Amino acid sequence: MVLLMIPLGGVFFCSLSTLTYVARIMFAYSRDKAVPGSALWVKLDSSACPVAAIWGAAIFAFILAIPSVWNELAFTAIISLSTIALNIAYVLPTLARITVGRHRFKPGPWHLGNWVYPIGTIATIYMVFIVVVFSLPTEYPVDPNKNLNYAGVTLGATLAVSLIYYFFPFIGAYAWFKGPVHTYTPSSGSLHGTDTPDNSTHPQNLSDPSLGLDKEKEGHTAAGKQASVVSLHM
């Protein structure tokens, strides 16, 4: 029983970290109006915390895990699907970089140069390998009622729902989703919220350290000018 507490503790803290980044993703997508119910999930409480997105992510995860209580195959499918979907999400930008986006990519201060093509190819091949491995049955011989891995089925269902949600005629996301909402202007160093679902929940209402730094720099500059004027008069 004591030794069992070690993996249970690991699962607990892993669940907390997973809930944290899922809630952040849900909040960010809601800010971009990319998920159903965006007006709810984007709201912040008095401490600038996306409580609705956190509880929404927790409730959805709980609902998805309910079938695993009486069916071990459902648990295996959920675990495998999470790993497969995570790897696919990671590698899709890399795949786009070395294929359709190779001529439109604008390199930053640090980039791989031409090494991106072999490295990106290896990463993509590894992703395909992972998808195949985690879609295999957990043991042989295969019994559909005992050890068949339904991760491929759940992945296909997830992709089908996503495609329907995006391409559904007239009301699909293709008709209204315009891409990420820009909330920061690098040239001016200021935040703006004209395109956000709810300006009251926009990060501009939160404290921004970068803005404080700008003000501090302005203060030093003003102080330096005053010192220069005083030295000239002296």
Side-chain angles (χ1 to χ4, degrees), residues 110-163:
W110 186 90
H111 57 90
L112 294 175
N114 290 330
W115 282 99
V116 69
Y117 297 103
I119 294 176
T121 302
I122 294 173
T124 304
I125 294 174
Y126 176 76
M127 185 274 296
V128 175
F129 170 76
I130 287 295
V131 170
V132 173
V133 169
F134 279 93
S135 298
L136 295 175
T138 54
E139 59 185 31
Y140 290 94
V142 178
D143 187 342
N145 298 318
K146 292 183 179 181
N147 56 12
L148 182 62
N149 192 343
Y150 288 93
V153 177
T154 53
L155 177 62
T158 303
L159 291 176
V161 171
S162 301
L163 291 174

Side-chain angles (χ1 to χ4, degrees), residues 31-184:
R31 178 200 58 198
D32 300 339
K33 304 178 183 179
V35 296
S38 298
L40 172 62
W41 312 125
V42 78
K43 290 185 178 298
L44 304 177
D45 65 358
S46 58
S47 61
C49 180
V51 176
I54 295 173
W55 277 107
I59 293 173
F60 291 151
F62 179 80
I63 293 174
L64 288 175
I66 289 178
S68 64
V69 175
W70 62 81
N71 193 327
E72 185 178 351
L73 290 178
F75 177 77
T76 304
I78 293 172
I79 297 300
S80 299
L81 175 62
S82 61
T83 305
I84 293 172
L86 190 64
N87 279 274
I88 292 176
Y90 279 151
V91 84
L92 281 180
T94 303
L95 181 62
R97 166 67 180 90
I98 62 177
T99 54
V100 296
R102 63 184 183 276
H103 299 303
R104 295 183 294 174
F105 177 74
K106 297 180 180 180
W110 186 90
H111 57 90
L112 294 175
N114 290 330
W115 282 99
V116 69
Y117 297 103
I119 294 176
T121 302
I122 294 173
T124 304
I125 294 174
Y126 176 76
M127 185 274 296
V128 175
F129 170 76
I130 287 295
V131 170
V132 173
V133 169
F134 279 93
S135 298
L136 295 175
T138 54
E139 59 185 31
Y140 290 94
V142 178
D143 187 342
N145 298 318
K146 292 183 179 181
N147 56 12
L148 182 62
N149 192 343
Y150 288 93
V153 177
T154 53
L155 177 62
T158 303
L159 291 176
V161 171
S162 301
L163 291 174
I164 293 173
Y165 175 67
Y166 187 83
F167 290 106
F168 198 83
F170 304 109
I171 61 174
Y174 79 94
W176 46 264
F177 181 64
K178 306 302 180 183
V181 174
H182 296 285
T183 59
Y184 182 74

